[in-house]
Amino acid sequence: MVKVGGLGDVAGSLPSALRMLPGHLLEGRSLDVRLVIPYHGENPRKLLDPQPVASFLVNHLSGPIPTRAFVTYVDDLPVYMIEGAPIGTEAPVYTGDNYLDGLKYAFFSLAAVELARHLNWQPDVLHANDWHTALAVFHLARQRLSRDPFFAQTRSVLSIHNLPFMGAGAERALDEFAIRPVRDLRLPKWARQFPLPLGLLAADRIVAVSPTYAREILTPEFGCGLQDFLNSRSAAISGILNGLDQKSWDPTRDGALVSRFGIDSLELREENKKSLLAEFDLPYDPQIPLLILISRMDQQKGIDLALASLAQMADRPWQAILLGTGDPIIESACRSLQAEFPDRVRAAIRFDTRLSRQMYAGGDVLLMPSRYEPCGLAQMIGMRYGCVPLARSTGGLRDTIFEGAPDRPNNGFLFDEVKTEALNAALTRCLDRFADRKAWRQLQLNGMQQDFSWEKSAIQYANLYFDLWENQR
Ligand code: ADP
C-alpha cells in the first residue's frame, strides 16, 4: 500500500497504526504500508538522515522537473520524501495561495505515483487525503485508462477531511501539468478542474472521516454543490472516524498539567481547574461549571451561537474561557463577551497548545457548536480529559457524543438545530446535570472510557483495503 497525504495526524498516525495491527485482527493477512510526503524544510534532513532512492522527471509546461525521492524509517515505517522545485525547501507547508499550493501539490501527487514505478513497487492500494493529494488518485486512474500494465492492479482510496476545501484556484497550476478540465457530466461544470472533485471522480473508494459526515455530504446542506455527483457515487462512499493520538493526549502523563489524573484518580482533576481560574484571575467555586471553547475561530465552528447563548443564559451560574484565533470578527466578538462579563469570561486570542491542555484538564464543559464537523478532535480530547462536551449533533460529533442514545451511555450533551434556542436548551440540561455531582462524575467516566484509538480506525481502513483488493478486480 502507498499512502499519500499531508494531513498531519492522519498521515502520521494511520500508517503506523496500520503497521502495528496485530496479526489476529488481520486474519492472517499482512500489510506493507509506506508513506509518501513532500520534503519540506531542512529539519527532516538533519533528524531523519534520509537516503536517496530515486531520481526522475515530472512533466511540466515549461519543461520536465527534476525530482528526487529519499527514504527514511520512522519506527520501521518507510517514509518516502519527494523533493523538487515546486515543493521548495523553505516555503511554508501551505502558502494560502492555491495557485502556488496547486503547483506544489499537483507536482507532489504526480511524483508520488511515478515514484512507485521508479521503485518498481506495485502498490495494491493508493490512499490519498483531501484536495492536496487527490490528483494522485486522478493520475493513477489516467494510467489505468491508458492501460499502463504497471498500475493495472492498483486501486485507490480518497479520504475527505473537509469537503469545502476543494482546491479552487489551482486550475492554472493543473493546466501547467497537463491536467485539463474533465468532460464528465456527473460533475458540475465549475468543479471539473478542481483537484478534490477530480479525485472523487477517479477514486475506487471514498472515505469521509466519520459515518455521519459520509451521509451528510450527500445532502444540499453539507454537499457544497457536489451532493448530486456524490449521490451518483454513494455506493463507493463510507465513513471511518479518525483516531486520537492517545499517547500525546493522556491526562495521566501530560506534562502541561498542574495535577495529572486518570479514571482512578479523578478527584485530582479539580486542582487543574483551580490553577486555571487563578491564572485568568477568576474566582474558584466548585459549584460553578467552567465552560471552555478551544477552536479555530471560523464560521464553521458556530462560535457565534455559543456567545449568544452565554449572554442569554447570564442568569445561570457559569464561567467561560475561550481560546482561539482566526476570523477577526469572531475574535472581537469573544473579546466583547469578556468586556460584557468581566467577572466570569476570559478570551485568550492566540494559539497555545499548553494552555489548551490545561483547559481540557480544568474545564468542566467543552463547547463545540459546529455548523459542520467532519470528524472533530477537540471533543475526543475533551472526553479523554474528563471535560464533558456540549456539541451540535453533526458529523463526527454525532458519532462520538451520546445523549439519550438507546445503546450507548451518556457522555455529553447534543443539540440539533443551528439556533441559539437549541443550544440554550442543551446548556440548561447540562447546567442542571452539573449540580448532581454523582451523575456528572459518571458522564466524565463514560467519556474517559471511550476507545478513540487509531487501532480502531486502522482496522476499518485495513478491511476496506482488503475488500478493494479481493473483490474489486
Ligand atoms: P479543526 O481541525 O477543524 O480545527 P478539530 O477539533 O478536528 O478541528 O481539531 C482542532 C485541534 O486544534 C484540537 O486539537 C484543538 O485542541 C486544537 N486547537 C484549536 N485552536 C487552538 C488554539 N487556539 N490553541 C491551541 N490548540 C488549538
Side-chain angles (χ1 to χ4, degrees):
M1 314 258 169
V2 56
K3 169 109 179 355
V4 185
L7 289 211
D9 234 38
V10 179
S13 303
L14 180 61
S16 307
L18 283 165
R19 263 190 112 79
M20 286 186 333
L21 280 177
H24 70 274
L25 288 180
L26 296 175
E27 295 166 5
R29 300 169 297 195
S30 69
L31 284 168
D32 175 5
V33 185
R34 308 185 189 190
L35 176 67
V36 191
I37 59 172
Y39 203 160
H40 280 121
E42 284 299 315
N43 283 343
R45 207 177 296 266
K46 288 186 201 120
L47 291 175
L48 301 170
D49 188 29
Q51 299 299 314
V53 285
S55 61
F56 50 96
L57 298 171
V58 170
N59 284 330
H60 181 265
L61 190 69
S62 59
I65 301 173
T67 307
R68 291 205 298 166
F70 299 80
V71 70
T72 186
Y73 293 85
V74 179
D75 297 335
D76 290 341
L77 171 76
V79 179
Y80 296 102
M81 299 195 280
I82 289 188
E83 186 185 73
I87 291 175
T89 50
E90 297 307 326
V93 175
Y94 303 120
T95 62
D97 174 334
N98 273 6
Y99 167 65
L100 293 178
D101 281 353
L103 282 180
K104 178 195 292 196
Y105 289 106
F107 166 73
F108 170 68
S109 299
L110 301 181
V113 174
E114 292 309 314
L115 172 65
R117 204 195 305 271
H118 289 274
L119 295 173
N120 197 23
W121 182 66
Q122 286 175 294
D124 300 310
V125 178
L126 171 111
H127 181 176
N129 291 279
D130 271 353
W131 79 260
H132 307 93
T133 57
L135 292 174
V137 168
F138 181 73
H139 183 58
L140 174 75
R142 285 199 308 194
Q143 307 310 301
R144 271 164 41 189
L145 274 177
S146 68
R147 306 206 179 278
D148 177 340
F150 189 83
F151 289 113
Q153 302 296 317
T154 305
R155 296 295 175 259
S156 61
V157 177
L158 179 58
S159 286
I160 306 177
H161 298 258
N162 206 336
L163 184 61
F165 295 89
M166 298 185 195
E171 299 89 311
R172 191 154 54 90
L174 269 56
D175 275 336
E176 293 179 27
F177 284 101
I179 300 173
R180 311 261 177 252
V182 288
R183 298 217 179 94
D184 197 301
L185 295 179
R186 285 175 300 168
L187 270 184
K189 206 162 179 209
W190 54 263
R192 291 183 193 160
Q193 201 185 16
F194 286 4
L196 183 64
L198 292 180
L200 295 172
L201 187 65
D204 291 301
R205 292 293 182 88
I206 296 167
V207 178
V209 288
S210 67
T212 296
Y213 196 54
R215 289 190 299 275
E216 286 174 338
I217 57 175
L218 303 179
T219 68
E221 186 184 352
F222 299 92
C224 305
L226 291 188
Q227 59 274 9
D228 292 342
F229 159 69
L230 288 169
N231 272 292
S232 78
R233 298 235 49 204
S234 63
I237 302 177
S238 61
I240 300 178
L241 271 172
N242 289 336
L244 177 70
D245 179 345
Q246 305 203 99
K247 262 203 197 127
S248 162
W249 295 102
D250 177 356
T252 66
R253 296 152 52 118
D254 191 331
L257 308 191
V258 171
S259 172
R260 292 186 269 282
F261 62 95
I263 288 176
D264 301 324
S265 55
L266 196 48
E267 66 288 352
L268 298 177
R269 188 177 189 278
E270 199 69 2
E271 289 306 310
N272 295 302
K273 179 172 175 181
K274 282 184 200 160
S275 131
L276 181 64
L277 288 167
E279 194 172 315
F280 281 96
D281 201 20
L282 287 171
Y284 168 73
D285 177 344
Q287 311 295 332
I288 302 182
L290 173 58
L291 317 178
I292 62 164
L293 185 140
I294 302 173
S295 179
R296 278 188 296 118
M297 300 232 162
D298 186 288
Q299 169 77 354
Q300 173 198 343
K301 300 293 183 177
I303 297 168
D304 50 324
L305 293 176
L307 301 180
S309 176
L310 290 177
Q312 288 174 19
M313 301 270 292
D315 57 331
R316 299 284 308 245
W318 52 258
Q319 296 168 308
I321 300 179
L322 318 168
L323 170 64
T325 54
D327 183 338
I329 294 173
I330 305 175
E331 290 179 353
S332 103
C334 291
R335 288 200 187 93
S336 300
L337 195 76
Q338 171 174 331
E340 196 179 341
F341 301 99
D343 54 340
R344 51 166 151 171
V345 175
R346 292 292 178 271
I349 307 302
R350 58 179 189 268
F351 194 93
D352 187 337
T353 303
R354 196 176 169 80
L355 173 59
S356 79
R357 290 175 175 277
Q358 292 164 344
M359 288 172 63
Y360 287 119
D364 295 302
V365 179
L366 174 75
L367 299 175
M368 228 172 147
S370 307
R371 290 194 161 76
Y372 74 96
E373 194 62 75
C375 175
L377 270 184
Q379 85 279 13
M380 298 193 211
I381 303 171
M383 283 191 263
R384 206 157 148 71
Y385 278 60
C387 185
V388 175
L390 188 165
R392 171 137 190 268
S393 181
T394 183
L397 299 172
R398 190 190 175 104
D399 295 328
T400 51
I401 302 172
F402 305 100
E403 184 186 11
D407 50 346
R408 302 291 293 252
N410 289 345
N411 59 13
F413 300 88
L414 290 171
F415 66 99
D416 272 319
E417 279 185 289
V418 188
K419 285 199 174 141
T420 315
E421 298 76 47
L423 175 46
N424 288 350
L427 190 52
T428 303
R429 294 195 300 279
C430 172
L431 299 179
D432 291 347
R433 188 76 54 81
F434 185 76
D436 179 346
R437 304 308 301 153
K438 215 171 140 206
W440 191 262
R441 194 182 151 82
Q442 192 56 52
L443 274 183
Q444 290 178 294
L445 291 174
N446 291 345
M448 292 174 85
Q449 280 159 355
Q450 212 160 314
D451 178 4
F452 296 124
S453 65
W454 268 107
E455 181 178 288
K456 198 171 155 190
S457 312
I459 190 68
Q460 294 177 67
Y461 272 108
N463 284 333
L464 180 87
Y465 302 148
F466 286 126
D467 184 45
L468 259 181
W469 186 65
E470 284 158 5
N471 301 323
Q472 302 288 314
R473 45 199 67 216

